[in-house]
Amino acid sequence: GAGVSQSPSNKVTEKGKDVELRCDPISGHTALYWYRQSLGQGLEFLIYFQGNSAPDKSGLPSDRFSAERTGGSVSTLTIQRTQQEDSAVYLCASSLGGRGSNEKLFFGSGTQLSVL
Amino acid sequence: AQSVSQHNHHVILSEAASLELGCNYSYGGTVNLFWYVQYPGQHLQLLLKYFSGDPLVKGIKGFEAEFIKSKFSFNLRKPSVQWSDTAEYFCAVNALNFGNEKLTFGTGTRLTIIP
């Protein structure tokens, strides 16, 4: 597709369940980011993938959060044993990547996660 | 680690008023600076960016921002706002230290323009 695609757009889950959020970046973009947007908290960095390099996981809030990027393209963010404080919009973004070239991130429309 | 502060959480202006949204960052080295905008119901998109050169950068829709290194600031300005500028605005910084490509965002400023 022409843009960054995220699925599902909305996810309602029960506390304690695991969820998987998917991101399809723009074709050819080597850099992929996950951010979390909570009310009043702005955009919180979670994880960053760049090509074949080891991902920057410094933003993951706990070991319940993990992410993979298979084949340098699609990424999956997994949240295990969800808690109510995990409720937020999870945004994925991609860019051409490479040092100094992350000048423009293209964002997806996000996944609204609600943990009941 | 770099951080970004946006002190205005919600700004309400009338059409044709002038706008200035504050952005301060904390990092002593070389930075790239950005403003992103999220219109209601739309994706986040790039408004303007500063990499090097002229510290006054111009973006889309008549917006501009000035990088003042001594103040660690990158305030967003527009001389005359329109109702269609109602959106949320995010400042972001990328500190150019080795191995760090992470873009750090501020908490955002919600701008409401009253017709």
Side-chain angles (χ1 to χ4, degrees), chain A residues 35 45 99 102-103 105 107, chain B residues 34 36 43 101-103:
Chain A
Y35 286 88
F45 167 78
R99 192 156 176 74
N102 63 339
E103 57 188 71
L105 299 190
F107 282 86
Chain B
F34 308 81
Y36 279 80
H43 299 187
E101 302 286 344
K102 182 171 67 184
L103 200 59

Side-chain angles (χ1 to χ4, degrees), chain B:
Chain B
Q2 67 266 28
S3 65
V4 180
S5 297
Q6 292 181 248
H7 302 294
N8 311 110
H9 298 296
H10 189 193
V11 173
I12 302 173
L13 294 172
S14 298
E15 275 193 315
S18 65
L19 169 72
E20 181 159 1
L21 301 183
C23 172
N24 289 90
Y25 65 93
S26 65
Y27 182 71
T30 304
V31 293
N32 294 334
L33 296 157
F34 308 81
W35 277 96
Y36 279 80
V37 60
Q38 188 171 28
Y39 297 102
Q42 295 188 25
H43 299 187
L44 271 158
Q45 58 185 285
L46 182 67
L47 195 56
L48 49 77
K49 64 183 187 289
Y50 169 80
F51 270 27
S52 63
D54 189 344
L56 183 63
V57 293
K58 296 190 184 298
I60 59 172
K61 303 187 180 186
F63 284 91
E64 65 179 32
E66 185 175 11
F67 170 49
I68 303 180
K69 190 173 182 179
S70 61
K71 294 185 178 180
F72 299 90
S73 70
F74 190 56
N75 292 355
L76 181 71
R77 301 195 294 245
K78 185 170 183 178
S80 176
V81 294
Q82 302 172 302
W83 177 78
S84 58
D85 294 325
T86 294
E88 190 146 16
Y89 293 80
F90 294 90
C91 183
V93 63
N94 169 227
L96 296 180
N97 51 316
F98 180 75
N100 175 24
E101 302 286 344
K102 182 171 67 184
L103 200 59
T104 300
F105 285 83
T107 53
T109 296
R110 185 153 62 100
L111 176 65
T112 301
I113 305 300
I114 302 169

Side-chain angles (χ1 to χ4, degrees), chain A:
Chain A
V4 177
S5 177
Q6 290 188 247
S7 60
S9 55
N10 277 283
K11 177 72 177 177
V12 180
T13 191
E14 293 179 349
K15 179 181 171 181
K17 295 283 179 73
D18 298 351
V19 295
E20 281 190 354
L21 312 180
R22 178 187 167 102
C23 173
D24 278 281
I26 293 173
S27 178
H29 281 193
T30 61
L32 187 147
Y33 302 75
W34 283 98
Y35 286 88
R36 179 166 70 175
Q37 187 175 19
S38 307
L39 207 59
Q41 298 297 316
L43 271 75
E44 177 188 4
F45 167 78
L46 297 178
I47 189 168
Y48 163 64
F49 296 90
Q50 171 53 60
N52 295 322
S53 303
D56 177 351
K57 303 180 181 180
S58 60
L60 294 178
S62 78
D63 59 8
R64 296 187 295 106
F65 288 72
S66 62
E68 290 184 339
R69 189 177 185 193
T70 53
S73 181
V74 171
S75 178
T76 302
L77 177 69
T78 301
I79 309 173
Q80 295 178 309
R81 305 180 303 282
T82 52
Q83 304 294 314
Q84 288 181 332
E85 60 263 28
D86 299 334
S87 297
V89 176
Y90 289 81
L91 290 169
C92 177
S94 70
S95 72
L96 283 171
R99 192 156 176 74
S101 71
N102 63 339
E103 57 188 71
K104 184 172 183 177
L105 299 190
F106 294 81
F107 282 86
S109 54
T111 294
Q112 172 75 62
L113 175 66
S114 300
V115 182
L116 305 179

